[in-house]
Structures are given as structure tokens and as C-alpha cells.
Amino acid sequence: MTRLIKDIKIKQNPQEFWSKYFSHIFVPYISAFLIKCKVNPNIITLLMIPSSFLCLYFSIFIFNKDLNLFLISLVGVSINIIDCVDGTVARHSNKVSSYGKYLDRICHYVANPAIFLAYGIYSIQIEKNLTGFLFLLITVLDLFDVASKDCLHLIKLSKKEFSYSKSRKI
């Protein structure tokens, strides 16, 4: 198991902020455990959906503002870890598939906006309406961002060519 953890650590290439600076710490250990237990990576991916609803549940039905914020944040971080772990398990167990990639995208349509929406609901409940409105706006923008990247093939542009940091004429 130690060799598997080392191999996972070497092959990690996190790109997103949370993955790069936080999740990569936990991913090798959780992934190695799930690989040893022979858990299907698609099952891991599907855990993002109930976690998203749990995040929303906490924002709506938990009225202790400190506990509420902690639980929303904890579930949000867990969703990011799940998202990293599913791909790692798929690659290391040779179970990468088109269906798995599709399922991952679908779960992103649910998970990321749910986290932002939960923070928005929480903010409105504690009477920080401007913050709540901004989180609701971020929810919509995140959905647009994910959907627009998924539609790049319609204008014959690949994700590798498309970047917010690079400015070039199309």
C-alpha cells in the first residue's frame, strides 16, 4: 500500500486552486484505500450528488450560524476531495471510461453550483443579503462557465486552446 501511495503522489498533477493546495494532501491515502477495496470510480463520482444535497440541507435546516457555515464548508471540501479521488482511482485501476468522464461532468453541474447556492442561502439567513446575492450570481456564472466549456466543440475549439489567461483572436 505504501508503494501505491507513493506512486499516486508522483503522478498527481492538480490544476485547480483547492486541488493544488489542499486536496492533494488527502487524495493519495483515500485513493489507495479505495483502490485496495476495489471500489468502482463511478460510485465515488456519484457520491458528489448526495453530498451536494447535504450541503444544501445544511444551509436550509441548520440554524446555528457557526455550525451551519462549518458544515457547508466541510461538505464543500469533501466534494472537492471526492472529485480528485474518483479520477485517481479510475487511472490507477485502469477504469477510465467515456461514461466516467460524462458522469464526472454531470456531477460538476450539480456539485459546484450547490456549494455556492448553499453559501448564498446561508448568507441570506444571517441577513447578509448582498453577499447572498453575490453567491447566487456566482452560482449562475459557474453553471454558465461549466456549460460553455462543455460546448467548445460546437465552435471547433478545444479546452487546451481555450483559457481565460490567454488572450487571442479566434
Side-chain angles (χ1 to χ4, degrees), residues 34-53:
L34 294 172
I35 290 167
K36 289 290 184 186
C37 293
K38 298 182 190 254
V39 176
N40 187 309
N42 291 341
I43 300 298
I44 300 167
T45 303
L46 284 172
L47 288 175
M48 291 170 65
I49 293 177
S51 299
S52 302
F53 290 119

Side-chain angles (χ1 to χ4, degrees), residues 4-21:
L4 179 59
I5 292 170
K6 286 181 184 177
D7 187 43
I8 292 170
K9 283 183 180 180
I10 291 169
K11 292 181 180 176
Q12 282 190 105
N13 186 20
Q15 300 295 317
E16 297 169 343
F17 176 82
W18 278 104
S19 303
K20 188 181 280 188
Y21 297 106

Side-chain angles (χ1 to χ4, degrees), residues 20 35 56 66 77 90 94 109 113-115 143 150 167:
K20 188 181 280 188
I35 290 167
L56 288 170
D66 294 330
V77 169
N94 293 320
Y109 276 101
I115 296 167
L143 275 169
D150 286 345
S167 175

Side-chain angles (χ1 to χ4, degrees), residues 136-158:
L136 296 177
L137 182 63
I138 290 169
T139 301
V140 173
L141 290 174
D142 184 70
L143 275 169
F144 175 77
D145 179 55
V146 174
S148 65
K149 287 179 183 173
D150 286 345
C151 293
L152 287 174
H153 71 279
L154 296 173
I155 57 171
K156 298 183 183 2
L157 193 64
S158 73

Side-chain angles (χ1 to χ4, degrees), residues 92-109:
H92 283 274
S93 59
N94 293 320
K95 292 185 178 177
V96 175
S97 68
S98 296
Y99 177 72
K101 290 178 185 178
Y102 172 76
L103 191 60
D104 188 65
R105 295 309 305 156
I106 295 298
C107 289
H108 277 272
Y109 276 101

